Amino acid sequence: MTISVGDRIPSITLTKATADGPDQISSDEFFKGRKVALVAVPGAFTPTCSARHLPGFVDKAAELKAKGVDEIAFTSVNDAFVMGAWGKASDAGDIVMLADGNADFAKAVGLTFDGSKFGMGERSQRYSMLVNDGVVEQLNVEAPGAFEVSSAEHLLSEI
């Protein structure tokens, strides 16, 4: 079942990429008591994700925070080392990179797709969501191959 507006984020362990290496964190702890713009992408370093999606949130981070967003996080079915390298290579600054290496989070929110024909296996769909104290306030899931409703600009327009 796909997560919906009004649902609580499932309790899952994610791995946060930090300067000191991987750091496991529960989703309960990560989302507790704050407003988080969570963005999921099919893969770090993939064309649309690297050329448009992450850079859009880097550019609009101050505007999102001015509208009450406490944290911006990107997640992908990649390991923490890849997510950390992608954040660094993209000058992602304060954006938190959350690794979902086994797709546990993507599966728990019901937003996966089979990328096997591209050699990628099970991956997260592309989406953005606004999560307030662990509860989904907005959810913007892209159609396959699209990049429109999960952009930083679109999320900003909804806040």
Side-chain angles (χ1 to χ4, degrees):
M1 190 165 93
T2 303
I3 198 164
S4 300
V5 171
D7 289 348
R8 181 160 288 285
I9 292 290
S11 185
I12 297 290
T13 299
L14 294 162
T15 307
K16 184 176 169 182
T18 72
D20 297 326
D23 182 25
Q24 290 197 328
I25 187 168
S26 74
S27 55
D28 297 330
E29 180 183 334
F30 185 77
F31 292 102
K32 185 178 182 179
R34 58 194 182 148
K35 190 175 282 194
V36 178
L38 178 67
V39 184
V41 295
F45 291 108
T46 55
T48 300
C49 305
S50 291
R52 298 175 61 200
H53 215 164
L54 181 54
F57 278 88
V58 170
D59 291 344
K60 301 292 184 185
E63 290 177 55
L64 284 160
K65 290 186 176 186
K67 287 195 168 194
V69 172
D70 298 305
E71 193 82 73
I72 302 167
F74 264 67
T75 187
S76 181
V77 180
N78 290 109
D79 65 63
F81 297 104
V82 169
M83 292 300 287
W86 186 40
K88 186 175 183 180
S90 303
D91 292 322
D94 291 334
I95 294 177
V96 176
M97 305 305 274
L98 296 173
D100 185 21
N102 296 321
D104 293 336
F105 186 81
K107 291 173 192 173
V109 296
L111 290 167
T112 61
F113 76 95
D114 183 2
S116 296
K117 74 177 186 176
F118 304 107
M120 296 172 70
E122 189 168 27
R123 292 293 173 137
S124 176
Q125 291 181 37
R126 183 182 307 278
Y127 64 85
S128 68
M129 66 171 69
L130 190 61
V131 181
N132 192 356
D133 195 23
V135 177
V136 178
E137 285 189 344
Q138 293 175 28
L139 177 61
N140 308 299
V141 181
E142 294 289 0
F147 174 64
E148 297 167 7
V149 300
S150 66
S151 70
E153 294 80 8
H154 184 80
L155 189 61
L156 268 168
S157 75
E158 292 186 324
I159 299 175

